[in-house]
Amino acid sequence: MTLERDDTADARSMDPTVTDGDRPVDSAKRGRHRAVGPRPSQRQMTAAALVALVVLAGVVATAPVAAGLAVGSSASPVAAGPAAPVAVEAPGPVAPADRPEIDGGFSRPTYTGVAGDPIEVRYTASNSDGPTYLLIGGNRLSDTGQPVGFVDVVKVSNTSDLTINTRTLGTDATNVESCGLDTTSCDLKFVDEDGNLVAENLSALPSATGAGGLARPLVPQRYRLAITNGTFVVDNSGVVTPTASADQADLVLEKPKFSEEIAVSTSIDPAALEKNTDNQSLDSLRNNGLDRTAVTKGNRVVLGFEATGIWGALSHFAAERDAGPIEAGQEVDPRVLTDLLTANEGVSLRVRETNPGRNEPRSTLDLSRADVDDIRLLIADANELETPDTPGRFYLVVDTSDGGPFTQDPEPGDKFTVEFALEGTEGKRYTFADDSAPPAAFNASSTTDNAVSQQFPYWGTDDGTVRAEATFTVRERFLRYDHVTDDGEILVEADNGRVTGTTSLLPVREMTATFVNDAGGAPFRTESPLKIADGNFTADLDLNDTNLGTRLNYELYEGSTLRDSRPVVVVSDADNPDELAIDDAPDNVTVTEGGNLSALRAVARNAGGLTGEGELTLSVDNGSLGGSWGVRLAPDESRTYDFASVTADLDPGQYPFTLRLDGDTHGGTLVVERDPATTTIDDEGDGSADNGTNTGDGGADNGTDADGGSDGGDSEPNSTAPNGSDSDGDSNGTEIGDDGGSDETSDGDAPGDDEPDSVGMLPLPFGTREAFGGTVLVGAIHLLGHWV
């Protein structure tokens, strides 16, 4: 990936004569720089006088020219930015007669990039009689007054662009035709201020020029570019200046940036997609994934990292593996990343388990054992970046299946931490390991006090390690239905006909729910796609007026593979599938004092789709009387129950009563009337008596014993046994059929043989119910080889 960006603000501050934007090359306007012969008096002049003469002679323009830096010196890196140009003394030796004039120019006055990343320089050059060279060097900066390292002389052609890898420039791994390499044939001449030949190649230059080696990789700084014919002057201080240049420009390298956030998402196995579907791009990963840190076992975890200053090294390793250029939106051989992490570049990436079991080894990501099916390395699309021409973000796609790139296969419940860092130690900086010319690009020194291994090349002495961290977990593959019985049957409401639930599965090629009804006079078969979105799923079903309680056969397919099979039950309310309700009951019931409550009848109905069990209870006057029935009804079945076993052993008056069944209630009023056949005898014995009145001394009402036993005040009321039975244990309750008629007589006689048997008073509890208290249990299924 290359960069070409115009920084007009820097350009104006560095050279007030330049204009914005790309510049057409115009040799007449720019001026051809010709060699100027020395005059005897120049050697005795001061540096200031020399500068004035050079300017008048046209040897240097208003922009600064390249300067040298001695090997091993450490010019303090300064932030790239405006700096006033400073003229460099450049005596004009006579150019050899075989050095033709050259034409050419740069498309921009300033090229801005990131130290350590590739940058593209666009130019034109014309030299029909010989080669053209590009001087990449430094200039004196106004804030330090010190020269910035002379870097390289590059042999160029007349083409219109040149991509320079700033990480390898000036080293033995440079990507350009450096005249410092033995493999590059260059025709160079270096002369002193008197015109005497100093050297004919870079390696023969004195070390004071800086051409013999770099102190460290290119620092974030401003450098001078010049198109030359290969002739240079070396002054007494080691400054190297072209005797003629067709054009000059600035190369501004900024300090790398690092994001402390790691993007985490999950995506499906590309093999699960349709054959002709794009399964390689970032868009495909996003369209078939979710932005969540819970990664389903067997799916891919997608980790996004952002940093600049590493792309030159990645580009170098990609070229070594013949993996092609690194470009936005493209996939790269993941071994390129492995090469970067194993080099002494101060770049680290660790993925490791944080919750291993006792005596279990910790699982870690091992890129060296990964293949193309386990690991993918994708470069971010250009539209994702603030600077789309600059590579800055990459994604690592890791498979969580068994046999993948982890040292121990991830299991559901495992938690992992991810750490990406650019290493740095305050007070230290990266330097090359030797003083060879040119130095080895990826051989960092680790033996000196000023350098450490695993140091990011572009951190200064004030920089320490920066890191980004994130986490993700591995979860089971499952479907969990919202409404099921304790036997695992799926409940579907007749009104909406929809199966719903949650899942850890991601959007897939195809999942289809099939429903088959073989019962009744009109069997049917229907299919519905299982729609998955944001961890939820739905499947719609047309029930075609199917009756409550109908059972369907349900099967779930992924493509042609059966994933689940179980019954589906049609109910009215999936949250209360065996709903028992009081369908009918009187609001007012009148009984005679001491009589039974056979007139209090309630119709119970199962309004759900499952056989339901419950208890129908009666409570009179806050519990002064009561009774109950055990109720068991099939779907949509109704039965009538009365409370003849309960005796109205209450004083005449009005009493509230309440019926309850499975959360349904019904209230009314019980009216107890005085028994007209009863005469009450008072204690005064005045001999008077009437129906229900005192008859006098010695009198007796019709309710007393024949021997004149205890009066009404001493008589005990008839007791009611548990569940409404009489004291002799016989039940007097009556179960009423659907037509509301009584199946038993009120005096407790047993029904005839032709009458249906009463269910009687059922003891509670009733055994296992198909759904408890209307609360639907959440069910899970065995799916894709795992239990939930």
Side-chain angles (χ1 to χ4, degrees):
M1 177 61 61
T2 59
L3 169 68
E4 179 182 343
R5 192 176 70 189
D6 188 1
D7 192 335
T8 56
D10 288 343
R12 293 191 185 97
S13 63
M14 295 176 186
D15 189 347
T17 65
V18 301
T19 58
D20 293 342
D22 289 353
R23 307 183 294 181
V25 177
D26 188 338
S27 59
K29 184 178 295 185
R30 295 286 302 174
R32 292 178 177 151
H33 298 272
R34 304 173 182 270
V36 179
R39 293 181 300 177
S41 60
Q42 284 180 328
R43 288 190 295 271
Q44 287 78 33
M45 290 183 176
T46 63
L50 283 173
V51 170
L53 288 174
V54 169
V55 172
L56 291 174
V59 176
V60 290
T62 56
V65 294
L69 176 65
V71 176
S73 63
S74 58
S76 301
V78 297
V86 178
V88 179
E89 58 179 277
V94 177
D98 60 346
R99 296 292 174 176
E101 296 180 359
I102 58 173
D103 291 324
F106 295 102
S107 65
R108 296 183 178 184
T110 303
Y111 297 91
T112 304
V114 177
D117 290 350
I119 186 170
E120 184 178 70
V121 176
R122 302 188 65 185
Y123 68 94
T124 59
S126 175
N127 184 6
S128 59
D129 297 326
T132 304
Y133 300 94
L134 177 66
L135 173 68
I136 306 174
N139 55 277
R140 287 190 175 93
L141 299 180
S142 60
D143 56 348
T144 65
Q146 299 296 321
V148 177
F150 168 82
V151 178
D152 207 349
V153 176
V154 176
K155 187 176 182 180
V156 297
S157 62
N158 296 335
T159 56
S160 60
D161 56 55
L162 176 68
T163 298
I164 301 174
N165 188 335
T166 63
R167 173 59 183 88
T168 59
L169 185 66
T171 72
D172 63 355
T174 183
N175 70 313
V176 293
E177 291 190 79
S178 169
C179 292
L181 301 176
D182 294 337
T183 56
T184 304
S185 175
C186 297
D187 184 13
L188 305 180
K189 289 188 181 298
F190 297 87
V191 298
D192 61 16
E193 295 174 307
D194 295 326
N196 300 318
L197 182 65
V198 175
E200 293 184 309
N201 54 63
L202 290 178
S203 59
L205 285 176
S207 61
T209 65
L214 289 175
R216 58 176 300 192
L218 268 68
V219 297
Q221 189 56 274
R222 185 180 70 169
Y223 299 86
R224 178 62 63 197
L225 302 176
I227 299 173
T228 78
N229 60 9
T231 60
F232 307 90
V233 175
V234 182
D235 67 10
N236 292 331
S237 64
V239 174
V240 177
T241 305
T243 58
S245 63
D247 197 7
Q248 297 185 18
D250 286 313
L251 171 62
V252 177
L253 297 182
E254 298 174 342
K255 186 175 181 179
K257 296 181 180 180
F258 181 83
S259 174
E260 296 184 356
E261 294 184 359
I262 300 175
V264 180
S265 61
T266 179
S267 189
I268 197 170
D269 180 357
L273 301 176
E274 294 286 353
K275 292 183 179 180
N276 297 326
T277 302
D278 170 26
N279 58 11
Q280 300 298 323
S281 67
L282 285 170
D283 286 341
S284 175
L285 291 173
R286 295 187 178 100
N287 293 337
N288 296 284
L290 293 174
D291 288 334
R292 70 184 186 193
T293 59
V295 182
T296 302
K297 171 71 175 180
N299 286 345
R300 270 59 173 163
V301 55
V302 183
L303 306 173
F305 310 92
E306 186 169 353
T308 57
I310 65 175
W311 299 95
L314 284 171
S315 297
H316 167 76
F317 294 127
E320 280 197 332
R321 290 191 175 274
D322 196 21
I326 294 181
E327 298 179 350
Q330 300 298 312
E331 184 168 1
V332 181
D333 188 333
R335 294 176 298 175
V336 173
L337 178 61
T338 304
D339 293 340
L340 174 66
L341 297 175
T342 55
N344 291 328
E345 284 294 283
V347 181
S348 63
L349 173 61
R350 301 180 182 89
V351 180
R352 39 187 186 171
E353 183 185 4
T354 59
N355 63 335
R358 180 174 296 181
N359 299 324
E360 290 184 0
R362 187 185 305 274
S363 179
T364 60
L365 177 65
D366 185 0
L367 294 178
S368 64
R369 59 181 287 173
D371 56 32
V372 293
D373 294 328
D374 299 330
I375 293 287
R376 296 178 61 200
L377 178 62
L378 300 174
I379 310 303
D381 294 331
N383 56 13
E384 290 189 34
L385 305 174
E386 295 181 1
T387 54
D389 293 335
T390 306
R393 183 180 303 162
F394 67 92
Y395 293 91
L396 194 63
V397 185
V398 184
D399 185 12
T400 62
S401 301
D402 292 343
F406 291 90
T407 56
Q408 303 292 325
D409 290 334
E411 297 295 337
D414 288 352
K415 299 180 180 180
F416 289 84
T417 183
V418 184
E419 181 185 282
F420 179 56
L422 300 181
E423 309 287 347
T425 303
E426 292 187 15
K428 308 292 184 180
R429 63 179 176 84
Y430 184 105
T431 59
F432 292 117
D434 53 53
D435 294 332
S436 61
F442 297 95
N443 187 14
S445 173
S446 59
T447 59
T448 66
D449 293 337
N450 294 327
V452 293
S453 61
Q454 283 299 310
Q455 181 92 357
F456 187 58
Y458 302 105
W459 283 167
T461 56
D462 295 334
D463 297 315
T465 298
V466 294
R467 60 173 48 88
E469 294 182 347
T471 61
F472 68 88
T473 59
V474 180
R475 63 189 305 188
E476 183 60 273
R477 298 169 64 87
F478 70 86
L479 286 169
R480 180 175 291 118
Y481 299 96
D482 286 339
H483 302 101
V484 297
T485 68
D486 56 341
D487 293 327
E489 296 175 327
I490 302 174
L491 303 177
V492 178
E493 294 181 352
D495 291 341
N496 61 33
R498 175 171 295 175
V499 177
T500 63
T502 58
T503 181
S504 65
L505 301 180
L506 297 174
V508 294
R509 173 181 55 191
E510 177 184 8
M511 292 199 80
T512 304
T514 301
F515 302 88
V516 179
N517 179 17
D518 293 325
F524 69 87
R525 175 188 179 90
T526 184
E527 293 183 353
S528 173
L530 193 76
K531 301 175 183 177
I532 298 177
D534 299 327
N536 300 306
F537 70 86
T538 59
D540 294 324
L541 170 63
D542 185 2
L543 293 174
N544 296 325
D545 299 325
T546 305
N547 295 329
L548 295 179
T550 300
R551 277 174 163 75
L552 309 176
N553 296 321
Y554 163 81
E555 293 179 339
L556 179 65
Y557 288 89
E558 181 180 356
S560 59
T561 303
L562 180 64
R563 294 303 188 189
D564 189 23
S565 178
R566 59 175 67 200
V568 170
V569 183
V570 180
V571 298
S572 61
D573 185 354
D575 291 325
N576 192 9
D578 60 345
E579 179 184 3
L580 300 177
I582 301 173
D583 230 17
D584 187 31
D587 294 329
N588 296 283
V589 177
T590 301
V591 298
T592 302
E593 178 186 9
N596 63 49
L597 303 186
S598 59
L600 182 52
R601 300 173 178 177
V603 178
R605 184 176 69 88
N606 185 347
L610 299 176
T611 297
E613 294 179 345
E615 182 182 14
L616 175 63
T617 62
L618 168 66
S619 176
V620 181
D621 193 26
N622 295 326
S624 58
L625 290 179
S628 64
W629 279 99
V631 178
R632 180 182 176 89
L633 298 175
D636 209 28
E637 180 184 6
S638 297
R639 287 188 184 179
T640 302
Y641 301 85
D642 71 18
F643 291 87
S645 62
V646 180
T647 301
D649 192 13
L650 297 169
D651 292 333
Q654 295 183 355
Y655 303 90
F657 72 84
T658 302
L659 295 169
R660 291 182 174 85
L661 175 61
D662 196 20
D664 193 11
T665 60
H666 177 81
T669 302
L670 174 65
V671 179
V672 179
E673 296 181 341
R674 187 180 300 276
D675 185 355
T678 300
T679 300
T680 301
I681 307 298
D682 63 16
D683 292 337
E684 299 299 326
D686 59 2
S688 62
D690 62 6
N691 293 337
T693 62
N694 192 344
T695 59
D697 292 341
D701 64 19
N702 294 336
T704 60
D705 293 339
D707 58 3
S710 61
D711 59 30
D714 296 332
S715 298
E716 295 182 1
N718 294 332
S719 63
T720 300
N723 290 333
S725 62
D726 291 340
S727 59
D728 60 3
D730 295 331
S731 174
N732 292 323
T734 302
E735 179 181 337
I736 307 300
D738 293 344
D739 59 359
S742 175
D743 290 336
E744 296 185 5
T745 60
S746 60
D747 60 2
D749 293 337
D753 295 338
D754 57 344
E755 297 179 57
D757 294 336
S758 169
V759 296
M761 300 299 179
L762 299 181
L764 297 175
F766 309 110
T768 303
R769 297 185 58 194
E770 297 185 43
F772 293 95
T775 300
V776 177
L777 304 181
V778 174
I781 68 171
H782 180 269
L783 185 62
L784 309 185
H786 301 278
W787 279 102
V788 181

